[in-house]
């Protein structure tokens, strides 16, 4: 049975959480494959509203085994706090597993994230401050600590001590900051290791075996395809491979073992943090989407920048990742507008182009070329079937489908689970 991948096709916050919650119900395993506590995936269910940061969104479904795979960077302090809070609020999975290959985010990574951002000044990226860049840097430099290291407590504390001492050298000599208390951190890490150890296993081997047994595995993306370290608008990206290739690398599964790929796209665009955003709406129009869409970061609370649907950037995401179907979310946010716009090309230095430039400085000069469509000026919140959508909303979805070259399987018209139209089975194996 091929694995299903669900990922975001924009700069994050496409409503992946809702889509994953919806689809994970049917799966045996729900595995996060990239990123760390920089993610904020919102799920609204009978227990309340949840913003998942590291824990996979399907954790509430009985029988689903949530896992974190090798490509995730695990912040043990934040993970333990998140699991404890979820337990208090009704999530009691029988099992929860973390890959022994996953790297750790330790407190010095978070500290260094802040110093690096301060040092960038006007070139800052607007990171979430969760230590993601420094943790993936250590991983690539082969200086990282892995979750599996926690299984040998004596060696683990030695490694923590050594890494913290080195981090302190940077903190004091390069940034002029206060060193971390090495002994306190070592003690803290030993405690986290005791608590995390029972969750550690060879997640990737488990998943390959599950796929051989024909079980349904849903691989959960974080961030969005436009924030991918390679494919995204570098340097305004995150530090992981958020696309489908990242899922294969993280899980150690052959590319041919991936089946359904569901790409979540909002019906407009948002972006948190810095970086080029050709269709960004400034002034009242942007404020309108911010307000109606309640566009505040689920992790940092920062207001999200908002703009019209960018078919050039979205199509690029699909070209890079492939998609067997699309989940178009937040359609309802556009409900009361007189017209809606789709960016179908860019004008860059007087030339019309229909591709996403690889350089962020070039993308920053892109002027959007819009196609206008009539608005529908009525609520879609209560629509549950295609026929219940106003015809102008149907035309908007069909146009997105046409421009993306992929069918829409899900239309979301509100944050709640039932505010969803399923047009075809998103998990059907192609
Ligand atoms: P994720 O990171 O992709 O999971 O998305 P976030 O959870 O960060 O942001 C999506 C926000 O939109 C959350 O507050 C969701 O509850 C909300 N949301 C999801 N789908 C819809 C929808 O169709 N309509 C509206 N109005 N809100 C939605
Ligand atoms: P979900 O999974 C939106 C953005 C940050 C910043 C850049 C780098 O909820 O969609 P980082 O902390 O990763 O080094 O920050 O990436 N970013 C996100 N934006 N949603 C996310 O996650 C994001 N994760 C990181 O705002 O611009
Ligand atoms: Mg989010």
């Amino acid at each position: 049975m091929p694995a299903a991948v669900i990922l975001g096709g924009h700069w994050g916050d496409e409503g992946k959480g809702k889509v994953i919650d919806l689809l994970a119900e049917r799966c045996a395993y729900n595995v996060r494959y990239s990123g760390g506590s920089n993610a904020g995936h919102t799920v609204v269910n009978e227990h309340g509203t949840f913003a998942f940061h590291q824990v996979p969104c399907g954790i509430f479904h009985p029988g689903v085994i949530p896992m974190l795979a090798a490509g995730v960077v695990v912040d043990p302090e934040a993970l333990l706090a998140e699991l404890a809070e979820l337990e208090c609020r009704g999530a009691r999975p029988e099992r929860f597993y973390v890959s022994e290959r996953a790297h750790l985010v330790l407190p010095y990574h978070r500290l260094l994230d802040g110093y690096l951002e301060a040092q960038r000044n006007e070139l800052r990226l607007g990171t979430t401050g969760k230590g993601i860049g420094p943790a993936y840097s250590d991983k690539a430099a082969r200086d990282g600590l892995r979750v599996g290291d926690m299984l040998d407590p004596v060696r683990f504390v030695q490694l923590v001590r050594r890494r913290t001492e080195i981090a302190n050298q940077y903190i004091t000599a390069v940034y002029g900051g206060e060193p971390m208390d090495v002994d306190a951190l070592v003690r803290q890490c030993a405690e986290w290791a005791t608590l995390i150890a029972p969750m550690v296993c060879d997640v990737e081997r488990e998943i390959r075996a599950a796929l051989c047994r024909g079980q349904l595995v849903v691989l959960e993306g974080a961030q969005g395809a436009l924030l991918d370290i390679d494919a995204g608008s570098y340097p305004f990206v995150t530090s992981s491979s958020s696309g489908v290739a990242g899922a294969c690398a993280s899980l150690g599964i052959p590319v041919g073992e991936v089946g359904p790929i569901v790409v979540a796209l909002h019906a407009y665009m948002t972006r948190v943090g810095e970086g080029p955003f050709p269709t960004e709406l400034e002034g009242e129009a942007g404020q309108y989407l911010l307000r109606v869409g309640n566009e505040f970061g689920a992790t940092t609370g920062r207001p999200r920048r908002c703009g019209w649907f960018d078919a050039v950037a979205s199509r690029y995401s699909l070209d890079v990742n492939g998609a067997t179907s699309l989940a178009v979310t937040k359609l309802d946010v556009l409900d009361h507008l007189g017209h809606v716009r789709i960016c179908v090309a860019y004008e860059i230095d007087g030339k019309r182009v229909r591709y996403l430039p690889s350089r962020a400085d070039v993308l920053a000069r892109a002027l959007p070329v819009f196609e206008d469509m009539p608005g529908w000026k009525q609520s879609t919140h209560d629509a549950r079937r295609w026929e219940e959508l106003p015809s102008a909303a149907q035309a908007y979805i069909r146009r997105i489908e046409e421009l993306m070259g992929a069918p829409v399987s899900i239309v979301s018209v509100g944050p709640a689970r039932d505010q969803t139209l399923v047009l075809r089975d998103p998990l059907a194996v192609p």
Side-chain angles (χ1 to χ4, degrees), residues 240-372:
S240 63
S241 299
S242 47
V244 174
C248 293
S250 174
L251 270 298
I253 55 173
V255 177
E257 297 279 321
V258 169
I261 300 171
V262 184
V263 177
L265 301 172
H266 356 45
Y268 51 98
M269 310 294 287
T270 70
R271 183 162 200 165
V272 210
E274 307 301 320
F277 183 177
T279 64
E280 182 168 12
L281 282 165
E282 278 159 17
E284 179 41 34
Q287 290 297 315
Y288 178 85
L289 292 178
L290 175 83
R291 203 168 51 245
V292 179
N294 190 27
E295 294 293 0
F296 293 91
T299 296
T300 59
R302 292 177 291 179
R304 296 174 181 146
R305 300 153 65 193
C306 299
W308 294 116
F309 188 85
D310 184 338
V312 181
S314 307
R315 178 63 194 241
Y316 169 76
S317 277
L318 301 185
D319 290 346
V320 170
N321 289 289
T324 52
S325 74
L326 308 174
V328 176
T329 63
K330 309 196 90 164
L331 182 73
D332 55 297
V333 177
L334 306 180
D335 278 354
H336 299 288
L337 296 170
H339 71 282
V340 285
R341 311 189 90 179
I342 297 180
C343 166
V344 292
Y346 300 142
E347 290 263 348
I348 303 177
D349 302 335
K351 278 207 200 104
R352 187 164 291 206
V353 302
R354 290 178 192 276
Y355 60 84
L356 194 78
S358 62
R359 281 168 47 200
D361 57 321
V362 176
L363 184 60
R365 298 202 297 275
L367 302 171
V369 177
F370 285 118
E371 191 176 280
D372 284 356

Side-chain angles (χ1 to χ4, degrees), residues 99-120:
S99 168
E100 48 195 9
R101 293 180 176 84
H103 278 249
L104 289 168
V105 182
L106 293 175
Y108 54 77
H109 290 124
R110 273 182 264 146
L111 208 58
L112 288 168
D113 197 356
Y115 283 124
L116 281 162
E117 273 290 83
Q119 186 189 42
R120 288 181 188 119

Side-chain angles (χ1 to χ4, degrees), residues 12-17 38-42 52 223 272 296-299 304:
D13 306 328
E14 300 87 351
K16 297 176 289 295
N38 49 347
H41 298 172
T42 310
F52 292 100
Q223 289 70 59
V272 210
F296 293 91
T299 296
R304 296 174 181 146

Side-chain angles (χ1 to χ4, degrees), residues 51-69:
F52 292 100
H53 301 295
Q54 295 184 85
V55 170
C57 292
I59 195 166
F60 275 100
H61 300 305
V64 172
I65 303 177
M67 291 181 159
L68 306 181

